[in-house]
Amino acid sequence: MMHTPRKRFGQNFLHDQAIIYNIISSIQVKPDEHWVEIGPGQGALTEPLLKQGLQLDIVELDRDLVMLLKEKYKDFNNLNIHSADALTFDFSALIKVDEKLRIIGNLPYNISTPLMFHLLKSSYCIKDMHFMLQKEVVNRICAAPGSKKYGRLSVMMQYYCSTELLFDVPPESFDPAPKVMSAIVRLAPHQKPPVEINDMVKFNEVVTQAFSQRRKTLRNSLKKLIDEDAIVALNIDPSLRAEALSLNEFAKLSNQIQEIS
Ligand code: SAH
């Protein structure tokens, strides 16, 4: 069966066997695990996963692809196919007994950030996630304080997960080829949060506000939320910019702002 890639579903199918092999070997699959694949497409990653004998749930939005996958893999009894939008899918409902999910996906790049934040709502039941993303986005997720790429996405993702760029994937590995370089990122939700945050809504607000004008010092960018003296009292230099602040310093700021507001 032939399927014409649909742009509106962000379809870029992997066809480079060496890359597929690299992905499968770097995720270190065990047969007793429960995996979820998001956006299986025509099954480039689905098939090698299924052959390992693990339990696999796949979530695909394109109904034509769902039909194609149902037919192609009808002999595998370790597969469940969900015809659904991953952005609203309840991943925690897949959990059986005492287990954690492992998630993988060559994601449609236009929805990758909201999808990761949606998944993080269920992070307590996720062991790890491996995603193919735009390399630029992977760099931002993994960036350390002081780097130009360090921003809201880095701080938020690093609060929830340990992050690691595994390897790059060039455009010609896909059909059709995207315009940008891609990379595989590994995100492993922390067992215990790395810093204590009293109010996630406030934390999100403070981080967003601090980075909304990256060039401004904290003294100015957070003026509406906290006084300069109160920043100094936290042992944070108010003349710094957001990009110099560690996760721990953002936590201290937001906990203090929550207390005084
Ligand atoms: N994993 C395949 C396909 C990647 S293309 C491969 O590597 O070849 C991205 C896939 O995500 C497509 O199959 C597309 O239909 C699907 N998709 C797009 N938006 C989605 C959504 N909101 N929920 C679930 N799947 C989606």
Side-chain angles (χ1 to χ4, degrees):
M1 245 185 289
M2 279 297 288
H3 176 86
T4 310
R6 295 196 169 109
K7 213 173 168 171
R8 73 191 153 99
F9 289 141
Q11 293 176 352
N12 296 92
F13 299 118
L14 255 178
H15 68 79
D16 183 331
Q17 289 306 319
I19 297 285
I20 295 170
Y21 178 83
N22 278 350
I23 296 174
I24 298 296
S25 44
S26 65
I27 59 180
Q28 299 190 327
V29 173
K30 294 202 194 82
D32 62 346
E33 289 171 337
H34 188 171
W35 280 76
V36 181
E37 189 192 358
I38 299 171
Q42 296 172 297
L45 298 170
T46 319
E47 189 154 335
L49 284 169
L50 279 176
K51 287 185 172 157
Q52 315 257 353
L54 45 83
Q55 187 60 46
L56 182 64
D57 283 85
I58 60 179
V59 183
E60 174 56 59
L61 181 62
D62 184 336
R63 294 211 179 93
D64 291 347
L65 285 175
V66 169
M67 269 174 29
L68 183 149
L69 291 162
K70 277 192 174 152
E71 176 57 29
K72 199 168 171 185
Y73 300 125
K74 60 177 186 294
D75 295 334
F76 285 92
N77 57 15
N78 52 335
L79 175 66
N80 275 316
I81 303 182
H82 306 269
S83 181
D85 182 346
L87 280 173
T88 50
F89 190 79
D90 180 5
F91 290 90
S92 63
L94 298 176
I95 296 281
K96 293 178 208 127
V97 292
D98 193 14
E99 62 175 9
K100 285 198 171 188
L101 301 173
R102 299 192 69 191
I103 297 187
I104 187 165
N106 168 17
L107 298 186
Y109 294 163
N110 55 335
I111 62 158
S112 60
T113 309
L115 184 56
M116 284 188 286
F117 281 108
H118 173 61
L119 281 160
L120 288 173
K121 291 183 224 155
S122 310
S123 65
Y124 60 92
C125 64
I126 296 174
K127 181 177 175 228
D128 59 17
M129 306 184 264
H130 289 83
F131 294 130
M132 173 89 72
L133 300 172
Q134 267 174 268
K135 183 175 182 183
E136 165 63 26
V137 175
V138 175
N139 283 339
R140 286 200 276 130
I141 290 172
C142 301
S147 138
K148 279 208 175 65
K149 310 249 178 230
Y150 184 69
R152 176 173 176 266
L153 189 63
S154 332
V155 177
M156 298 309 291
M157 293 304 285
Q158 292 170 27
Y159 169 71
Y160 288 106
C161 302
S162 70
T163 65
E164 186 186 353
L165 185 157
L166 296 189
F167 54 88
D168 293 350
V169 181
E172 57 278 13
S173 309
F174 303 87
D175 178 28
K179 289 200 181 66
V180 292
M181 192 70 170
S182 303
I184 300 283
V185 67
R186 172 183 291 151
L187 305 170
H190 298 299
Q191 300 282 340
K192 187 177 159 286
V195 296
E196 235 173 85
I197 293 171
N198 299 339
D199 178 350
M200 272 315 283
V201 176
K202 192 54 88 180
F203 179 71
N204 200 349
E205 183 190 331
V206 171
V207 175
T208 305
Q209 183 67 34
F211 282 109
S212 64
Q213 289 157 302
R214 298 183 63 95
R215 311 284 308 161
K216 280 197 177 174
T217 62
L218 296 172
R219 172 192 299 124
N220 287 321
S221 61
L222 298 182
K223 192 153 57 191
K224 290 203 181 98
L225 298 170
I226 188 168
D227 290 345
E228 180 166 356
D229 294 349
I231 301 180
V232 175
L234 295 170
N235 247 332
I236 298 171
D237 177 354
S239 66
L240 292 175
R241 293 180 183 144
E243 67 183 41
L245 248 53
S246 67
L247 175 60
N248 188 36
E249 288 169 319
F250 275 114
K252 284 204 291 185
L253 273 172
S254 90
N255 289 343
Q256 181 62 23
I257 289 171
Q258 188 236 355
E259 225 164 85
I260 57 183
S261 60

